[in-house]
Structure formats: C-alpha cells, structure tokens
C-alpha cells in the first residue's frame, strides 16, 4: 500500500508541473524568465483561489484538441453548490423529454494558459474577424461575449471556459467558449506614446456629419469622433471582410466602416448603448456609390468613455425605450402595419430581442427557435465564424431584426429575421452538451437558392422546410448529403435543387425582383431590404413521409363499398393528388422487391406503386419525383373472424409524369444499399466484360407459386442473334437477325423482372459473374408444361436492360375484344382479351384447387376461399362478359378499378348451363392494367337506353326514364370508417375494441319503379336516396345530425291503405317522420336512373303468382317477376334532359 505524499510534496509536484508546462509551451515567446513567469502565474491563481488548485492541471491546446472528444467545462474557483446552481439553471432550457445532448456540461479540471489573438493560425493567413487562443503547441478558435481590446496579444489565464468539439463528419478540432473574462498574468505595459488619445479633441456626430459631406476638405485629413453607439451591422464579406457601426447624438448619427484587418476585432468589443471615441478617422467613399463614411485606419484607437452626465432628450429616450422593448410589449404596441384592403402585402417592424436559443431548427438554413415560441432566421446576413456559440441553451441578443407575423403556416406565428443591418451575438453561452452545428455560408445550397431566385422570407421558409423533410426522407440510407445538395461551386444541381427549381422559377421572374443593394440596406433612410415587406404564403405543395400517406387518405372521403359476401365487406377509396391536403409530391427511391412489386422507398416506409404503361428498368435505384398520381386504398373487413381487416394502399401514376431527380447509376457517392436488386450495381460497373444476349418477348405468363410457396413465371421469347460481350456493340448489330425460340424461366429473386417485361419488346440479358458466352445455351430442367425445345432458368444475380428498337421485330398477336370473345366458337382454349372493367365484386370460389397456407405468398390480398368477379365491357359495342379470377394464392394485381382498361392473357372461355359465356382465369393468366379510369373515353359515353321489359341478360350498365311508384324501405345509419360497424355519438359501437373517432353517413333504400313497360325493384344508396326523396340539402344535413345520436334508423312503408295496429305503431318520432317523407306524392316524379342488374340473370324470365281484385271477384295469374336492379346514378328528369333522352331513344330505334 502506497503512502500519500504530504501536502507540501503535492504543492511541490504541482509547481514543478507548472514550470514544465511554462518551459514547454510559453518560454519560446518574448516573455520574462522562467522563475519570474512561474511566480506571476502563481500570484494570479492565488488572487482567484485562496489555495493553489492542486486538482487542476495545465493542458496545452494541442492535447485538448486531440484527446478531448466530448464537451466539457472548467470552472476554476467554483464550489459544489455554485456549480449545482449553475447546472440547474442550464437544465431549465433542456428539451422535454431531454435527449443525450441536453445534459449539463461535465466538469473538467483543466487550466488553459496562453494568448488571445485575432490572427488565424498558418503563415500568410489574413485577419478574418475571429478570435483565437494559442500557446506554443497550437491555436484554437475561441468565442467571447465581450472582448477587452487590451487583452489581444497578452498572456492570460482562462478561469472559466467550455470546450465544444467539432461535429461529424469533422473528426478533429473544436473551439472554446470563454465564460468569464480572462485574467492577465502581467499588467499592461505603459504606453510609449506621450500623446494621450483620450485627450485629443473629438467631433460630435452632428459636426462629423457636416465634415463628412464637406467636399472641400481633404480625404487624408484625420479626425476623431465621439458619440453613443447606436448600432452595429453584421460582418459583410463582399471583396473583403468589413462591418459598420453608427455613432449618434441627440440629433443625428454618423456611419463608420471598419475594413482594416487588424481592427476587425473591434466587432467583439463594441456594445450598443455605450459611448465611444474613435480616433484617426478618414473620409471614405464606398465603391459603386456616392455614399461617404468615416473609415478606421491602422493607427485608429477605440476608447470607451463614461456615459454623459446630461440625460438624453425625452423624445429620444422614448424612442430608445421602444426600440429596446421586450417582444411581448412590441407585439401589443407595434403591430406590423398592413396596407389597404385588397393588398396582402405586410410591412415588418424593426426591433431588438434577447432570449434563450431553445432549439436549432436547421443550422444550414439559419433557422433557430428562441424561448420555444419565436423563430429566428439568419439566412439574410453573414454570420461570423459560421455561427460558433449558437448552441441550444445559449442566450442571444439580436439587434435591428425584422418582426414578421405569420409569414408561413409551417413555422410559429412570430418570426424574427436578420438583414445586413442586424447584429446577432451570444451574451451567455450554453451550459448544455448540445453540439454546435455550422451555420449557412455562401457555399451552402440554402444561400445559393436564396440569392439566385431572390426569395422573400415566406418563400425561403417553405424552401427550408422542403429541404429538411427531404433530408429526413432520404439521408443517409439512400443518398448522401452531397447527392442531396449537389455542388454549388461546380454548378452541379442536387436532388433538392432539381425538385425545387421548377416551382421557384414559377414564383416570379428573378429579373423582375429588385436586387439586394448593400448601401440601401445598411444606410437607407427609410430602411430598404428584402425583409421590409412580406406576403404570407400558402405552401404550393409539400412532401410527406410515406408512413403518413395512408392516414392522409383514410379520412379524406367516403369509400366505395362493393357487394358484401356474408361477413366480408370490400371498400375502396381513390383520390387524385390534387384532392389531397397540401398536395403532397411523391419523392422516393424506386425499388423492386424480390416478389416483383414496385415500390417507392424512403427512410420511414415503402409505398407500393404501379406505373403505366410500364416502368423502365433504368429507374431502379434512382430518386424519382411524381406530382400527378392517384392514391388507392382498399380494405376488406371480416367481421366473422378475429384477424380484423386486410388493407392495401398503393399509388398509380403514368411514366410520363415521372421525373428523375437523381440517377443512381452515374453517381459515385450513393450508398451501396440504395438498391440491393439494382440492374447495374456499383460492383458490376467495375468488373470486366460480361456475357449478354438480346431477346424479344413473345408472350408472358402470370406468376405462379411452386410447392415451396415461391413465385415463378415463364416468358416465351426469341433470341436475337448470338451471345456477345457487353461492350461489343458491333457484334450485336451483326447477329441481330438470327432468331431462336427460347423459354425463359424466372424464379426466386429473378421474379422481380415480371413488371418490366412486355410482349413484343426487346431486352438485354446480362450474365453477371460469368465469362463463358455459352452460358445462355446451358441445359435446364424442363417442366412438363413447357413445350418449347429450349428453356433457360434466369439466375437471380443476372440483370436486364431495356433495348429500344426503331421498328417492330415481330408481328404482335392482337388480343380479342369483348364482343369477339363472346362470338368465338371454341370453348376451353386460352385467349387474350382487352376491355374496360365496369364492375367488380367478391364471390365464393368454386371448382378451384385448394392452396395450403404453407404455399401462400405475402403479396396476396383477398382472403382464402374468395375469388374476384369482374365485368369486362366494350366501349364500342356495349358488350360485356363476366370474368372470374382466383387471386387468393397469387399477388393481387393493382389497379383493378371500375373504368380501367385491362388486358387479360391466358383466360379460359367457358359456357354456363344457361348458355351464358364467361371467362375464367388459369394458373398462367397474366393481368395487366393498360390505362387508368380517368383516361378512358367510356366515362364520356352514357350507357344505352332500355325499357324494363327489354332488359338483356347482361350485367352491363343501362339507363331508363322511370318514376318511383312505391318506397318499400329506407335505412339511414352512420358506420365506422375502420371496422364498418355502427357509429354513434362520435364513437364506434365496438369501443373500446375499435378506437376510431370518424364515421361515414350511409343511406339505403328499396323502391318499386316503373317506366311504362314494367316494374323493377330498384336499390338506391347514398346520394341516390337524397335525389329520390327530393328534400333540400339543409334538411338532409339535419337528418344526418339526428341519426348520429341513435346510430341507425329503419323506416318501412306498407302502403297508403295499410292500417297498423296499436302494437305495430312506432313511437320513434324520427322514424315516423321518415315514413311520412317516403309517402309524399312528390316522390313519384320522372327520374333518369343508371343501373345494373343484380344476381344471376337466366335466359328465361322468372314469373310469380299475383292476386287481383275486380269488384267482387279475385283473380290469380302469373306475371313476370320484377327485375332486381342496383342503381348507380340517379338524376332529375328536367325538360331538357327528357328531350335529350327522347331524341337518343329515337335514334337508337331507327338504327
């Protein structure tokens, strides 16, 4: 066990270490001898501490930078209670909940001894206005809230300071924040100049202004000016670094420019409100202007004078108090002035503010949060030292800032923005471990866009919000910061500029906007700068994380519900991008999954998408922008099972509406993980030549799971020429005419190419990792169903490329129309049909093979045992056919919406027992969507007019002119938007199992309608019920409100002559009122109904027995049963519509 050294030995060891530190890092400068210097240091320490701080040790600057990698604070002479109080005060400004950077700075017992200087390290470095602390080992930047100019070049001891290391990706360096004034080791030497600058006569600002404008005086004449410091501008770096300050008296102010490099440190010593005397000033004319100012020279001195004894004039004192008022007072007394009504432009107010920096919103954009309620924008000025000291928890003071109220809905109501005349300084440094993020400089994209497009503050705030959300979406998983911002110096735009350039150019022509004029912005009276006026702006569009898109769509509008099967309810909603709130733009990385589904990905989620007519293969891995799209959300609710609901949300867009913001394949900076299935990965680009071969797709089959549940599909193709190396373009042209049939089998991860392959298109198959040209002729196990003589299994690591051809290489086989498929004589053969989907519904699966749960693929959507029935129509002949597809064991095809044009390949034609022709899917069926519903001309063609007695046995939409003879029943109810259960009084009836707080109003009615040829049972829903009743919108809204209190109301009408017993009479007032509304004579009026037939329609009409009474005799006879119809649309038959219908019916009869 070691024995501790006595206190005397500890002191001796500490003094010896101090002398060694002085010898190694200070003695090489022009300082006194080692003993004298050591004694002076000890005297300085004893003046601060009664005893020597033996627990502290001197550290050189080089070791502090290289060894200290975390923030720390050194507080010499502080006790534990003082430090705890200091820490508790700093903790008040931490976030809630606190993060790792919200901890108070840990205490380090280190001493810094060196020199404060304004000279940057390195030979030939020019003064940049920053301060540095240096010793014999090196130099480090330092920040001081106030500088005593006499300390520059003097040996000092820093008693209280904090060290803030650099943020990644910078691995070394940092800076120190001086918390208390440095202590001089030696007193300042006496001045050798016998003339005292303080005794020199000085001009007042009023006299100096007259001297300044006196053209007869020589510019070399030197004068002194004294006055109160009115304001200090920010640093301006135009041709060199300069700044201005203004000295004032009771009458006027005079400008002074500081551009001498050795005097730039005055910026840290000037305090607004104090009185100064500046000597040896000369008259200077600013370049490109007639503005004359006083200029500081190399021999000029800055002297701080005591305040004047006489008080300022009352008017001036009142103005000063208003300018320095707190923000809360300014908000009440100095509201931003608005121009007359009709002009949305507002005028900002100039004020000063002091507050705590509670959050760094975006340092690159120069956006900070003060006191958790005020946004500070520094983008319009040039921050000194890239904003060192602007950390969370610091107290800052901003002078001559522009107060703007509600310039953008994306930020808090109050925004303070700084122009070139403003000044921002840190008056108290942060006590937290928050990092110092570099602020915006000229090379950053934010400043580049601000200057290039001359953005106003609301526009700049929107640009900053877009860039921050773009960074959160893509960086660093998919792209780097360099890919996002581009290179401003080389003029290469990045993702952000490509995304914003079109919108920024549309704001207004930058040439029509006034250019920033330095002289008017600094000296103008009245003040003139881009922040003087502003117009609150609504964001033209936004970008959102893909994880939030489904919730944005779910409550946008009521869903369309298809016919339910028992407990299954299938609903869907479709919204265009223009209908969504804030018009979100889709920005993401294009990706293809191993199962073949296309996705747009960001760092929050992936969004399934469908591209029409097809997506180019070169898009994989690229960052895409889509502005015009349609979001589809489909939901299947199963009330009979505990599994809840199945939901699928995806987007549909056209290839022509896609813009590539960033090509992945030509960027050397993108991460390797951008697309694991990229067709041309980074690795393959640096490899040697690879074998490749062209092929043409003749036919494509659908995806089919194998016995392990893994998807596979087959493409019948033709080789175009012989195999070659990828770089041998001449060989490809020479061998292009040789055709050999081949069956390409895609399985496992190569299934991803299914969405990219189209019949009668050429592709290049690249064998990555191979060198033998004969690999394309290798044997493969041929399945029994494949009848070709040659087949090839495509490995997962092989890739495809699109090949553009000038003319069709083969004559494509034209698909059949719906009318041709109905007239075809062959049965059981496979055929391809194109048509427009007019209706869809779920039905029970019949005569289909059962697939075990082990072989189910993850991309399925329909429940097991349920198939899909689609009505396919022809927009020319109005013919339609029913199509039954079993999709419960294959990936669900996207875009199956009413009105979409479909291409069905490999369908089997069947004839039912009643003679109706229908189509049924097979294991090789391939379903493709050719166009979206909005693009098809079928919507412009109304369905044909028919009579109830002449209805064909087809489920296609038809129209008729009819009148309601009797309303049988009507149901009004609210249903939950999630589980489709009854929604009552703002909550789901299944609460708390279902936590939904949104519902949709539904209305259903069954009526007897007749058109002169017969009767039909017409089923109405939602808006059609409102049209049928003929009530006002105000009454309909009142009914909705009343029904919400009960959830559901059912009203039945038994006829005018039906007498109810007292037991059957309802006491519900709302139900009785609905019954009276249903029985009004106004319900029976001409209406135009668009409908489809419900149920299975047979070849012969059904009949039913009906009793008639004539006089005293009853007659029973058979009459045709009423048609069961589903109403798609109902409208009033006004005279103009009736004339049009009569003319249309006459033309059809004549034809």
């Amino acid at each position: 066990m070691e024995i501790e050294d006595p206190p005397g030995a500890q002191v001796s060891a500490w003094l010896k270490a101090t002398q060694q530190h002085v010898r190694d890092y200070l003695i090489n400068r022009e300082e006194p001898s080692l003993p004298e210097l050591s004694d002076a240091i000890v005297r300085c320490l004893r003046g601060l501490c009664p005893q020597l701080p033996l627990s502290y040790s001197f550290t050189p600057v080089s070791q502090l930078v290289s060894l200290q990698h975390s923030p720390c604070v050194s507080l010499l002479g502080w006790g534990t209670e003082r430090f705890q109080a200091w820490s508790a005060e700093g903790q008040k400004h931490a976030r809630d909940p606190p993060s790792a950077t919200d901890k108070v700075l840990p205490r380090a017992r280190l001493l810094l001894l060196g020199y404060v200087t304004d000279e940057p390290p390195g030979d030939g470095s020019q003064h940049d206005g920053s301060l540095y602390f240096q010793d014999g080992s090196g130099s480090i930047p330092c920040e001081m809230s106030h500088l005593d100019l006499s300390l520059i070049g003097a040996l000092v001891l820093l008693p209280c300071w904090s060290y803030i290391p650099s943020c990644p990706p910078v691995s070394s360096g940092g800076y120190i924040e001086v918390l208390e004034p440095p202590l001089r080791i030696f007193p300042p030497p006496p001045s050798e100049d016998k003339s005292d600058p303080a005794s020199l006569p000085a001009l007042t600002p009023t006299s100096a202004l007259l001297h300044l404008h006196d053209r007869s005086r020589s510019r070399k004449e030197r004068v002194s000016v004294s006055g109160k410091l009115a304001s200090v501008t920010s640093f301006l770096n135009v041709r060199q670094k300069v700044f201005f300050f203004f000295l004032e008296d009771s009458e006027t102010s005079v400008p002074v420019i500081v551009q001498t490099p050795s005097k730039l440190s005055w910026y840290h010593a000037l305090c607004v409100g104090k009185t100064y005397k500046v000597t040896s000033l000369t008259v200077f004319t600013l370049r490109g202007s007639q503005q004359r100012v006083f200029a500081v020279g190399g021999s000029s001195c800055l002297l701080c004078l005591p305040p004047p004894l006489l008080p300022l004039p009352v008017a001036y004192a009142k103005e000063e108090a208003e300018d320095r008022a707190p923000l809360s007072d300014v908000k009440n007394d100095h509201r931003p002035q608005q121009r007359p009504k009709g002009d949305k432009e507002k005028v900002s107010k100039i004020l000063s503010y002091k507050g705590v920096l509670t959050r760094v919103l975006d340092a690159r954009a120069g956006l900070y949060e003060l006191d958790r309620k005020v946004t500070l924008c520094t983008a319009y000025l040039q921050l000194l030292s890239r904003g060192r000291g602007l950390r969370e928890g610091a107290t800052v003071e901003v002078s001559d800032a522009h107060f703007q109220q509600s310039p953008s809905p994306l930020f808090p109501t109050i925004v303070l923005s700084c122009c070139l005349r403003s000044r921002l300084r840190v008056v108290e440094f942060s006590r937290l471990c928050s990092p110092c993020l570099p602020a915006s400089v000229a090379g950053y994209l934010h400043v580049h866009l601000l200057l290039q497009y001359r953005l106003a503050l609301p526009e700049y705030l929107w640009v900053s919000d877009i860039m921050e959300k773009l960074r959160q979406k893509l960086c660093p998983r998919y792209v780097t910061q360099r890919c996002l911002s581009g290179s401003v110096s080389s003029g290469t735009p990045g993702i952000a500029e490509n995304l914003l350039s079109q919108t920024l150019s549309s704001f207004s022509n930058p040439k029509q906007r006034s250019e920033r004029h330095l002289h008017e912005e600094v000296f103008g009276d009245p003040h003139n700068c881009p922040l003087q006026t502003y117009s609150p702006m609504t964001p033209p569009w936004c970008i959102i994380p893909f994880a939030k898109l489904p919730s944005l769509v779910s409550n946008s509008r009521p869903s369309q519900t298809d016919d339910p099967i028992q407990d299954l309810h299938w609903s869907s909603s479709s919204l265009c991008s223009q209908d969504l709130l804030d018009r979100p733009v889709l920005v993401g990385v294009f990706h293809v999954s191993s199962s073949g589904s296309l996705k747009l990905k960001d760092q929050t989620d992936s969004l399934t998408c469908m591209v029409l007519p097809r997506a180019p293969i070169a898009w994989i891995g690229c960052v895409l922008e889509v502005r015009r799209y349609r979001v589809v959300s489909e939901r299947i609710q199963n009330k009979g099972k505990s599994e809840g609901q199945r939901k699928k949300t995806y987007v549909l867009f056209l290839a022509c509406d896609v813009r590539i913001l960033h090509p992945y394949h030509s960027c050397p900076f993108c991460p390797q993980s951008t697309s694991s299935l990229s067709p041309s990965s980074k690795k393959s680009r640096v490899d040697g030549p690879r074998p490749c071969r062209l092929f043409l797709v003749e036919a494509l089959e659908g995806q089919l799971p194998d016995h392990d549940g893994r998807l596979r599909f087959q493409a019948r193709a033709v080789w175009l020429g012989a195999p070659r190396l990828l770089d041998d373009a001449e060989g490809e042209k020479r061998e292009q005419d040789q055709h050999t049939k081949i069956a390409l089998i895609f399985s496992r991860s190569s299934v991803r190419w299914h969405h990219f392959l189209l019949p009668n298109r050429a592709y290049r198959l690249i064998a990555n990792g191979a060198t033998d040209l004969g690999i394309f002729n290798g044997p493969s196990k041929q399945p029994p169903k494949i009848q070709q003589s040659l087949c090839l299994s495509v490995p997962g690591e092989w890739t495809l490329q699109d090949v553009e051809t000038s003319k069709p290489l083969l004559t494509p086989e034209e698909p059949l129309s719906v009318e041709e498929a109905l007239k075809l004589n062959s049965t059981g053969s496979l055929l391809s049909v194109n048509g427009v989907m007019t209706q869809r519904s779920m039905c029970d699966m019949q005569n289909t093979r059962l697939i075990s749960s082990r072989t189910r693929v993850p991309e399925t959507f329909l429940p097991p045992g349920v198939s899909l029935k689609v009505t396919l129509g022809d927009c020319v002949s109005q013919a339609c056919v029913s199509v039954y597809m079993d999709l419960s064991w294959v990936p669900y095809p996207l875009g199956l919406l009413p009105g979409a044009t479909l291409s069905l390949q490999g369908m089997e034609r069947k004839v039912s027992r009643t003679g109706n022709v229908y189509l049924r899917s097979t294991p090789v069926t391939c379903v493709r969507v050719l166009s979206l519903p909005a693009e098809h001309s079928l919507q412009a063609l109304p369905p044909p007019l028919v009579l109830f007695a002449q209805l064909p046995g087809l489920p296609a939409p038809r129209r008729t002119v009819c009148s309601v003879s009797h309303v049988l029943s009507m149901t009004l109810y609210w249903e939950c938007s999630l589980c489709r259960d009854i929604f009552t009084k703002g909550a789901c009836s299944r609460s708390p199992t279902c936590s939904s707080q949104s519902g949709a109003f539904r209305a259903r009615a069954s009526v007897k309608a007749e058109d002169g040829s017969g009767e039909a049972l017409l089923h109405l829903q939602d808006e059609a019920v409102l049209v049928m009743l003929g009530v006002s919108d105000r009454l309909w809204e009142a009914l909705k409100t009343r029904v919400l209190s009960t959830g559901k109301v059912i009203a039945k009408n038994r006829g005018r002559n039906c007498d109810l017993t007292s037991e059957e009479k309802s006491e519900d007032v709302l139900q009785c009122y609905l019954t009276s509304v249903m029985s009004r004579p106004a319900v029976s009026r001409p209406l135009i109904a668009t409908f489809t037939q419900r149920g299975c329609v047979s070849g012969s009409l059904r009949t039913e027995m009906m009793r008639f009474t004539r006089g005293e005799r009853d007659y029973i006879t058979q009459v045709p049963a009423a048609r069961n119809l589903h109403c798609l649309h109902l409208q009033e038959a006004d005279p103009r519509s009736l004339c049009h219908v009569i003319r249309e019916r006459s033309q059809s009869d004549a034809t």
Side-chain angles (χ1 to χ4, degrees), residues 361-367 410-411 440 443-450 453 455 459-475 479-486 488 494-501 504 541-543 587 603:
L361 300 178
D362 190 351
R364 291 178 176 267
L367 296 176
L410 304 172
F411 289 85
S440 57
Y444 280 2
L445 180 61
H446 297 79
V447 181
H448 169 70
L449 296 178
L450 174 67
Y453 295 97
L455 301 177
E459 299 167 350
Y460 178 76
L461 293 178
W462 172 74
V463 168
S464 303
D465 180 75
I466 291 294
M467 294 180 64
E468 176 62 19
K469 290 179 179 177
L470 197 61
R471 184 190 63 82
Q472 296 175 0
K473 281 174 66 72
L474 301 177
C475 290
V479 297
T480 61
Q481 183 63 41
R482 180 166 183 175
C483 302
L484 190 67
S485 303
V488 177
I495 299 174
E497 188 171 0
N498 289 333
L499 176 65
L500 291 166
S501 58
L504 296 182
W541 48 267
C542 69
I543 56 176
V587 178
Q603 295 188 139

Side-chain angles (χ1 to χ4, degrees), residues 700 758-759 812-822 824 830-838 870-883 896 899-907 919 925-931 936 938:
L700 190 68
L758 285 180
E813 182 180 353
E814 293 293 336
L816 301 176
S817 64
V818 174
E819 186 178 12
E820 293 172 344
L822 292 174
L824 197 65
L830 299 183
L831 47 86
S832 299
V833 181
N834 286 3
V836 180
M837 191 181 78
T838 59
V870 170
T871 302
L872 208 62
D874 194 332
C875 60
V876 178
S877 63
Q878 297 295 326
C880 60
V881 64
S882 297
V883 181
L896 295 182
T901 303
L902 305 183
S903 175
L904 306 179
Q905 303 175 13
M907 300 297 297
L919 303 179
T925 296
C926 182
V927 180
R928 287 191 178 273
V929 178
L930 302 182
S931 66
H936 202 271
L938 183 64

